[in-house]
Amino acid sequence: MKITAAEVFVGGPGKNYVTLKIMTDQGIYGLGDATLNNRETLPAAYLQDYLIPCLIGRDPRNSEDIWQYFYRGAYFRGGPIAMAAYGAIDMALWDIKAKLADMPLYQLFGGKSREGALVYAHAQGTDLEELLDSIAGYQEQGYKAVRVQCGIPGMPSASYGVSAQKGKAHNYITDFQGDAPHEEIWDTDKYLRFIPRALDRIRGQFGDELKLLHDVHHRLLPREAAQLGKELEPYRLFWLEDPTPAEDPAALRLIRQHTTVPIAIGEVFNSLWDCKQLIEERLIDFIRISATYGGGITHLKRIVDLAALHEVRTGFHGAPSHSPISMAAQAHLNAWAPNFGIQEYLVLDTPECDALFPSEHRVENGLFHVSDQPGLGVDFDESEARRYSYKRGFHPVARLEDGTLWNY
Ligand code: GCO
Ligand code: MG
């Protein structure tokens, strides 16, 4: 069996998805996602200019060797652009293998360990009242877990994860379009004063059962994060995410000395080496890496197994930063992983997105039910894809009130 051709598509409804399609001499094709949010053309160029030419003629069933060939074979290893490109290739090869086996992918990992995988939705508000309504809306839809993000009183612009306009859901591409990053103002003191009060209101209103998550988005210093974790303990968060910048794992030692709040980190990681210390020293409770930037299924599965050895559970990144193909890859791992924790669920599941990526994966009552179709169980409609083209966008930049640049 041989790979005969591969093509990359960039674009999508309200979002620049980077989709790889690998064709074989047996008519079976595989799909992968290389969407690197607001840098989408870069993994696409790496695939087109360097990787696809090396794929042609290879046996697509040798996904391990192909992964090693690209990762170890490169003198300059890793990084989000390269890992997103390898990730797309790897997903497509697993898709082909499972289609050849005529099985849903999770069967190749060892079958299903659960009927449905717990997901969390994003509740948000420009103020607390709006956030409370947003949480209630998700609870009515059956969600059992929600991430809660709220505008901070007195902060000149909305805090991370919150739409700038009241009543408007955050859209990770349309909000960020333009020729330069939008700038936000951050004030740690106001944030630290407000969040415990907000969590008190939320717990009081929604009771004990609803699982609550909060994303700090790398904004705190280690001591501040330790203080916040301690203050939030009475509200029993499911997790506190990215309390400090992820590139400094040692900061977590200080946080762990002071609080038992569960910690989730890893959405900006792109390899096992980024995760290793946090997992081995048990400095986190959930690992957030994604199938896309994390080098695909082959590499992610290795991380899941390392995490299991240290009682760290999964909580893969699932913001609309990735396409439904990546979400499908993670859904098969979630169905199998003995140490599954939760899945972030925020694909832009509009009719346009469903038309571009048809699938039988579904979320019901707060659980993700993986498709039983052979392979990843998601398709790609090329005629739909022709309706879209690339649109440039940037993540915002955060500054303190005096102008000092801060972590976004
Ligand atoms: C999350 C993330 C996202 C990121 C986005 C960046 O927890 O879902 O923090 O919201 O900001 O994926 O591209
Ligand atoms: Mg996050």
Side-chain angles (χ1 to χ4, degrees):
M1 187 175 193
K2 283 191 170 21
I3 296 173
T4 51
E7 208 179 328
V8 185
F9 303 81
V10 182
K15 173 85 202 121
N16 299 310
Y17 294 121
V18 182
T19 305
L20 173 71
K21 183 170 182 179
I22 296 183
M23 273 70 76
T24 67
D25 57 358
Q26 296 190 13
I28 294 178
Y29 60 86
L31 296 169
D33 174 44
T35 310
L36 182 59
N37 214 13
N38 295 314
R39 293 288 186 273
E40 296 87 352
T41 52
L42 303 179
Y46 189 33
L47 281 162
Q48 270 152 354
D49 297 345
Y50 296 94
L51 305 179
I52 290 175
C54 304
L55 273 177
I56 310 301
R58 282 177 198 280
D59 186 332
R61 293 169 299 184
N62 294 337
S63 48
E64 180 70 51
D65 183 63
I66 291 175
W67 197 92
Q68 301 292 342
Y69 177 74
F70 286 130
Y71 181 83
R72 288 187 171 234
Y75 185 66
F76 301 103
R77 288 188 188 175
I81 299 166
M83 294 302 264
Y86 308 157
I89 294 171
D90 189 69
M91 283 177 220
L93 299 183
W94 279 98
D95 192 21
I96 291 169
K97 196 187 299 284
K99 283 173 178 166
L100 275 174
D102 199 24
M103 287 178 185
L105 180 60
Y106 63 78
Q107 292 293 3
L108 306 192
F109 304 150
K112 265 192 199 177
S113 303
R114 56 195 57 79
E115 281 314 310
L118 179 69
V119 301
Y120 72 90
H122 284 201
Q124 57 149 344
T126 47
D127 57 30
L128 191 49
E129 296 311 315
E130 199 185 36
L131 173 60
L132 295 171
D133 288 348
S134 169
I135 300 170
Y138 284 114
Q139 205 180 29
E140 272 162 36
Q141 292 172 51
Y143 284 91
K144 302 172 200 329
V146 283
R147 186 187 85 158
V148 296
Q149 304 297 121
C150 192
I152 309 299
M155 201 123 99
S157 63
S159 76
Y160 163 68
V162 179
S163 168
Q165 288 166 18
K166 213 173 163 75
K168 189 172 163 284
H170 205 38
N171 178 315
Y172 286 84
I173 181 70
T174 51
D175 286 8
F176 296 169
Q177 267 180 29
D179 287 328
H182 156 81
E183 299 202 356
E184 292 185 357
I185 304 293
W186 176 255
D187 182 330
T188 298
D189 285 345
K190 290 191 175 77
Y191 170 80
L192 286 178
R193 283 199 298 271
F194 177 69
I195 288 297
R197 294 211 301 269
L199 260 303
D200 189 58
R201 265 294 290 286
I202 295 166
R203 215 15 120 205
Q205 178 158 333
F206 293 95
D208 286 338
E209 288 302 319
L210 189 64
K211 294 177 171 52
L212 298 172
L213 300 80
H214 178 66
D215 189 349
V216 184
H217 224 255
H218 328 278
R219 299 280 166 97
L220 298 179
L221 302 175
R223 192 213 54 78
E224 294 163 346
Q227 175 193 327
L228 180 66
K230 240 158 110 163
E231 285 178 30
L232 294 182
E233 278 172 21
Y235 311 111
R236 295 172 319 285
L237 286 185
F238 187 87
W239 81 32
L240 186 70
E241 177 178 338
D242 287 334
T244 50
E247 69 262 32
D248 180 9
L252 270 294
R253 293 196 190 123
L254 187 139
I255 299 172
R256 285 296 218 201
Q257 277 165 19
H258 295 282
T259 174
T260 55
V261 69
I263 305 277
I265 291 187
E267 67 176 52
V268 298
F269 286 169
N270 49 70
S271 94
L272 177 60
W273 303 100
D274 295 332
C275 309
K276 190 172 176 288
Q277 185 183 354
L278 289 178
I279 292 174
E280 287 180 344
E281 288 189 33
R282 298 172 203 266
L283 296 174
I284 53 172
D285 300 278
F286 296 90
I287 184 70
R288 298 258 306 130
I289 194 161
S290 81
T292 302
Y293 325 143
I297 293 158
T298 297
H299 199 59
L300 202 58
K301 194 162 174 301
R302 222 151 254 152
I303 294 169
V304 173
D305 284 334
L306 178 72
L309 280 179
H310 300 276
E311 287 89 27
V312 172
R313 291 188 285 159
T314 63
F316 299 138
H317 192 212
S321 307
H322 321 292
S323 88
I325 297 172
S326 174
M327 189 57 103
Q330 294 181 179
H332 287 278
L333 286 166
N334 290 340
W336 152 78
N339 54 329
F340 167 75
I342 198 166
Q343 172 64 58
E344 180 177 24
Y345 181 72
L346 193 82
V347 286
L348 299 176
D349 52 356
T350 57
E352 292 79 16
C353 193
D354 294 345
L356 184 60
F357 298 103
S359 91
E360 290 175 14
H361 295 290
R362 62 178 212 289
V363 168
E364 246 173 51
N365 276 327
L367 298 182
F368 195 109
H369 297 276
V370 67
S371 162
D372 283 320
Q373 293 300 311
L376 285 171
V378 55
D379 211 346
F380 180 65
D381 186 326
E382 287 177 45
S383 57
E384 280 289 317
R386 280 189 272 279
R387 296 173 50 190
Y388 306 108
S389 58
Y390 170 74
K391 292 189 182 62
R392 183 163 49 205
F394 291 88
H395 286 98
V397 167
R399 288 185 188 276
L400 305 183
E401 273 174 322
D402 69 358
T404 307
L405 202 87
W406 204 243
N407 312 314
Y408 178 70

